[in-house]
Each structure stands twice: as structure tokens, then as C-alpha cells.
Amino acid sequence: MSLRWSSATDQLYAVSNSSPSLDLDFASNKSLLDNISGFPLVNHQRDASSGKSAGTYVDSDGLIKTSPVNYAINSEQIDLWTPSGGSISANFAESPIGDLTADKWIPDTASSYHYPKLITTLSSASSVTYSIYAKQAGYRYLLINTTDGSSSGNGGPVVDLQDGEVASNYTATYPTTVTDAGNGWWRVAMTFTGNGVNIIVDHNPLPTSTIAAYSGDNTSGVLLWGAQLQEGTTATDYIPTGATISGAPRFDHDPVTGESLGLLIEEERTNYCTGDFNGTLGDGGLQTLPSGVKAPDGSTAAYLLLPGVTRLWFDGLNSVNIGISGKAVLSYYAYSVNNSIILRPNAFNTSYTNVVSDTIPGQWVRIYAVVDLINGVLQYRVTPYNTTIYTQAEYDAGERVYLWGFQVEIGNFPTSYIPTTGSTVTRSPDIASIEGTNFSSWYNSTAGSFYADVKAYGTSTGSSRIIGTDQIATPLYYNTTADTIKSYGNTVGPTVSGLIAFGRHKAGMAYATGDEAISVNGGTVATSAVGFNNTSNTVTAVALFAVTSGSEKTTGHITRLAYYPYRLSDTILQEITS
């Protein structure tokens, strides 16, 4: 997992003539790996349990993809699984990512099989892939077998944890890979077809490659860490879980240019749009797209708007009370063949502001408007009442207008698409933090400097975090009502004003005792004797676009985040943020 990056051409290294102690280059690496330690220091969670969206993102090919989900809960806490014939020593050894979270499974002295059992709630009749990191700790071999949920029955590979090979297979041969994860660790991944029953996996250490009952010695065993169960035939990057299943972190891209935007962090949102068009008002129905045209997710069908339509709304959202008053965002993706078409989504009997309303010929565009709901009642239309979208003559000349991906969400800015099929769906918030030794390994409480390259799209509060902590002290935050970026301790620290809060900003904050400074986008340095370091509270963790409790959340992209364990000069703050 090692990166250990440095480059004379990288501004964060060349300008300061030194290396930061933390460098999370999300846009370049498209992972949570820290360039300095080589380990994924960020703990990311997004609840993807039953009925919730896994989360979507735009991949480098410009298409909307669904995030992978890890269905194995408590993926690093083997002590919370179901044991049989042995015991767990929790946090016994260093894990593949360098923290003390690997558990040791120790068979007892009874003559039997000895295994911790992972019980999941995933029932699938398609291909699934199970993976886990394992290391010998007295026993060389490990049988990983599916005791339920596999169409092949109770079967799986016996893995040699010394040579990193499949020694044999028990009753069924699953496609299996054994990948060196460093320091004696191996990531074992096996793919099988489910049988529609909840999947259960056992982990049996063996003294020899022979599969047989034996008596343990209450000392020898194996180290286990990082279990993952996911749909499909590939073991993706490891996705940590706690008490709930989790979606993977999303590394987003511009759908037109393909630019890597970094880590996408979003607040919780629900898509209330579950109905279909009212077919009596000009809906051409779900149609196959023209040759060479794909929907935003790569599929080949979208809704066709017929010419001469003057009003078009959803059956499922025709004067429906969605139970919440305030601002809502109406959005969909639109594609026109020949001309720029004005669509202007709106809601009947509400005030609304069209933010993006025109199509671009030959390109999918997300059309959206912000509306003020009246008593929570919404009638979602794709065009103003009695306004023709396009004419029969334009249609006869080859014009077509297609719509896809309809969404209604509470808020004043759109978020990533949340697919629905017949009922509302909620996407849980992204929670991203750095804690424990993953934090203390790079942080200096006496003096230091933060760097953040971010683009925010909106917040749920007037003051929201760029970098938050587990205390009142805040290195960088937005005050969106005043369009400023500030720091905070027991009182407000240096402040940079006159910004467009919801744009892309490169911000740097440096602190020492009685000395603090902020520069944004290479601008004039704001200084203060108080702020982040003016507090008696000891910071032990940081959170991205939130405080560690998950509140005061910002939605947007974090391109890069870095930290220096000393105070950078004002001149260097300006240079690295320019």
C-alpha cells in the first residue's frame, strides 16, 4: 500500500522546500491513501443498509456509476462475529494498513473444527465476491468456506499463508486470488454464485493442508482483518464497516471533461420522485435512444418528449404533499439532438428559480430549479404551464428531446443522483474522519499548517466545516452568510472575506502559540493572535467537511488535503494556495 510521494514539481513540496506530514491527494490517487505514510488514514462510512442508496458518482468515462457496498458488517472486529471452538484476542497485531486493529483467532484444545463465523444479510442469486486479509500466527493454512448462501454449498479454498497460494479446495472450486498485502499479510478473494439465502462464511485455521478436525494449543492461530462481501466478480478496494454495511468512498469526475474532482462528501438526501409521467399530456414513453447515444448511466433508454407538449408532470408527484415545507430542488437530465431547448422545471403554485434550464445539443445536461414548497405540496412539471417545449415541425426535421434521472430533494442545491423504483430512497451522509494513531502520527498540537483544495456546493447550516475536529477548535470553516473562510478556537480567528463560498478555493491556515494566519487563493494573508490555537481543548481527531459528530456538514469535493507539522510563513501560505 506504500506511496511515499515527493516531487520537486509538486507545489506543496517545492514551494515549502519540505515535506508535509500528511498529504491526501484524492483527485490524483482516487483513493484514501496518504502519500506520506502510504496508508489509508481516513475512516470513511456511508450507511448503505436495506432501503438506502449505495450512492452514485461520475466515473472517469463520464458515466454515472453505483458505489460498491461492503455487506460484511464489523469488518475489522472479528471479536463481534460468531465464534466456534476458540477465542479472539482483539487488536492483537498491526493490520495491513499499519494500525493496531488486527484480531487473532486462537483455536481451543477440543478436537474439532475451529472458526469464527461471519453472518451477513446479503442474499443473492448472482455472482458475489468475498475477500479478507489473513496472516499466519502459528498456523500456516486457512480454509475459508461458505457454510450457507452459495449455490455450490459448503465449500471454499484452503490457502497457504506462507507461500500465498491455494493449497487445495474443499468440495467446490471457487475462482480465488491471493494477493500479497505486505508484512506477511495476504488478501484472499473468492467469487461464487449465491443461492438466494443469506451468505455465511467460516474461517478455519489448519496446522496442515489436510482438512480435518484437530486439537489446538490455545496459543497458535491466524490473524484476520478487513472482511468484505460485495456483489460482482471483483474485489474492489477495501471498504471498512462498523455496525452497518457501507458504501465505498466516491471519487468523482466532471461528466464532460473527465477531470478528476476528488473525494465527494455529501449530506443526507432523499429522492421523493417515484412516479411516472402522466401519459395523457405528451409523454412519448421510455424509448431506445438513437444509435451512439447512451443515457448518463450508460443504459440505452430514456423518456421521449413528444412535440407540442405544453405541460408535463409526474403522476406520482401531482399535487402531492411530501410532508416537508421549505426549499426543494427539482432536477433531471435532458438531451436534445439538434437545438438548445428551454425546459425550466417548476412546481405548480410555488415560487421557483431556474438555475440550469437549457439543453446543449448532443450532450446530456442536468436541468434543475430551486422551488419554495407551500405546505409541503408539490406538483413537479418539466416545463412551465402552457409553454410549448418544441414543435411538430422541429420533430419532423429530426429534433428529439429525451429525459432521464428525475429527482426531487429537500435543499437549495442538487446532489448526486439517487435512483428510485416505486418508493422514495435515502442516501445517507458521508462521514469521513481521521482518528487515533492515524491522526497523532502526523499532527503537532503546538504549531502546524493545514492546506485544503476544495469546492463546496452547499451547506445545511450558515457555518459549515472545511476541516472540523472533535473539539470546538476548527482549522477552516465557511461562514456562508458572509461569504468568508475563518478559523475558530474559543473565539473567531483570522478571517478572509469577499469570497464566493460555493466555488473552488485553495485555503491555507498556519498556527503557533499566539499566532495564526489564513490565505485563500493566494490572496492577502489575514492574521490574528487568536483562533484555532486559542483553546484549552486538546484536538485528537479531524473530520472532512464536518465536525467529527457529523454535524455542520458541507457538501462538495475535496481535491486535496495536506498538513505540515510546523507553522508555514505567510509568504509560503500565499504561494501554496495561489
Side-chain angles (χ1 to χ4, degrees), residues 496-534:
V496 176
S497 304
L499 302 171
I500 300 174
F502 302 131
R504 183 170 180 178
H505 298 300
K506 294 181 180 180
M509 189 280 279
Y511 65 94
T513 302
D515 173 27
E516 191 166 337
I518 291 179
S519 179
V520 180
N521 302 331
T524 302
V525 176
T527 60
S528 174
V530 298
F532 174 70
N533 60 332
N534 184 39

Side-chain angles (χ1 to χ4, degrees), residues 94 112 115 117 137 140 166 169 200 244 358 426 439 472 476 494 511 531 535:
E94 190 174 275
S112 65
Y115 51 86
K117 182 187 297 288
R140 175 173 174 173
V166 175
N169 290 281
I200 299 175
T244 62
D358 294 359
T426 297
F439 171 79
I472 193 172
L476 289 166
Y511 65 94
T535 175

Side-chain angles (χ1 to χ4, degrees), residues 461-464 477-486 492 495 499 501:
T461 60
S463 296
S464 60
Y477 75 95
Y478 290 113
N479 186 325
T480 58
T481 58
D483 290 341
T484 60
I485 290 179
K486 307 178 180 183
V492 175
T495 300
L499 302 171

Side-chain angles (χ1 to χ4, degrees), residues 267 412-413 458-464 502 550-555:
E267 63 185 52
N412 57 10
F413 58 93
T459 68
S460 56
T461 60
S463 296
S464 60
F502 302 131
S551 62
E552 300 186 40
K553 198 162 192 63
T554 301
T555 289

Side-chain angles (χ1 to χ4, degrees), residues 402-427:
Y402 297 96
L403 304 181
W404 182 92
F406 308 96
Q407 188 150 305
V408 175
E409 52 190 315
I410 302 303
N412 57 10
F413 58 93
T415 64
S416 62
Y417 174 55
I418 305 170
T420 63
T421 52
S423 60
T424 62
V425 175
T426 297
R427 181 196 61 243

Side-chain angles (χ1 to χ4, degrees), residues 123-375:
S123 56
S124 174
S126 301
S127 294
V128 296
T129 297
Y130 177 71
S131 60
I132 191 167
Y133 292 85
K135 179 178 179 179
Q136 59 179 331
Y139 290 131
R140 175 173 174 173
Y141 298 92
L142 177 65
L143 166 62
I144 305 174
N145 55 301
T146 53
T147 55
D148 215 341
S150 170
S151 61
S152 299
N154 187 354
V158 176
V159 179
D160 182 342
L161 297 179
Q162 178 171 295
D163 295 337
E165 299 175 346
V166 175
S168 63
N169 290 281
Y170 173 62
T171 73
T173 300
Y174 297 147
T176 302
T177 60
V178 184
T179 305
D180 190 349
N183 195 30
W185 284 96
W186 304 92
R187 191 186 192 190
V188 183
M190 62 186 194
T191 298
F192 56 92
T193 301
N195 64 359
V197 176
N198 287 358
I199 294 169
I200 299 175
V201 184
D202 291 351
H203 308 75
N204 289 271
L206 299 169
T208 71
S209 59
T210 300
I211 302 171
Y214 67 95
S215 298
D217 58 13
N218 274 333
T219 301
S220 301
V222 294
L223 300 178
L224 299 172
W225 183 87
Q228 183 156 302
L229 179 65
Q230 59 192 119
E231 297 173 299
T233 60
T234 302
T236 62
D237 289 346
Y238 169 59
I239 307 166
T241 65
T244 62
I245 66 176
S246 180
R250 295 170 292 167
F251 300 96
D252 213 15
H253 299 78
D254 185 291
V256 177
T257 66
E259 177 191 2
S260 178
L261 302 176
L263 178 64
L264 176 61
I265 300 286
E266 294 186 296
E267 63 185 52
E268 180 175 293
R269 287 289 179 89
T270 296
N271 186 359
Y272 291 91
C273 190
T274 63
D276 200 352
F277 285 127
N278 186 322
T280 63
L281 297 177
D283 168 27
L286 194 64
Q287 300 287 332
T288 300
L289 291 164
S291 177
V293 178
K294 291 184 177 180
D297 67 345
S299 59
T300 58
Y303 283 95
L304 170 66
L305 296 189
L306 296 177
V309 171
T310 59
R311 45 184 171 152
L312 184 65
W313 59 60
F314 285 93
D315 281 341
L317 287 172
N318 187 355
S319 298
V320 170
N321 191 331
I322 62 176
I324 303 176
S325 296
K327 292 189 179 297
V329 184
L330 318 180
S331 64
Y332 51 81
Y333 293 82
Y335 182 99
S336 59
V337 174
N338 296 328
N339 303 301
S340 178
I341 305 294
I342 299 176
L343 291 176
R344 296 180 182 173
N346 69 101
F348 181 73
N349 201 30
T350 66
S351 61
Y352 64 93
T353 301
N354 289 297
V355 183
V356 178
S357 61
D358 294 359
T359 65
I360 299 174
Q363 179 178 308
W364 285 100
V365 176
R366 197 177 195 189
I367 309 290
Y368 72 95
V370 179
V371 307
D372 288 305
L373 299 176
I374 300 175
N375 297 321

Side-chain angles (χ1 to χ4, degrees), residues 560-573:
R560 193 172 187 179
L561 179 67
Y563 178 85
Y564 299 83
Y566 50 85
R567 193 221 192 274
L568 294 175
S569 69
D570 292 357
T571 299
I572 291 178
L573 273 185

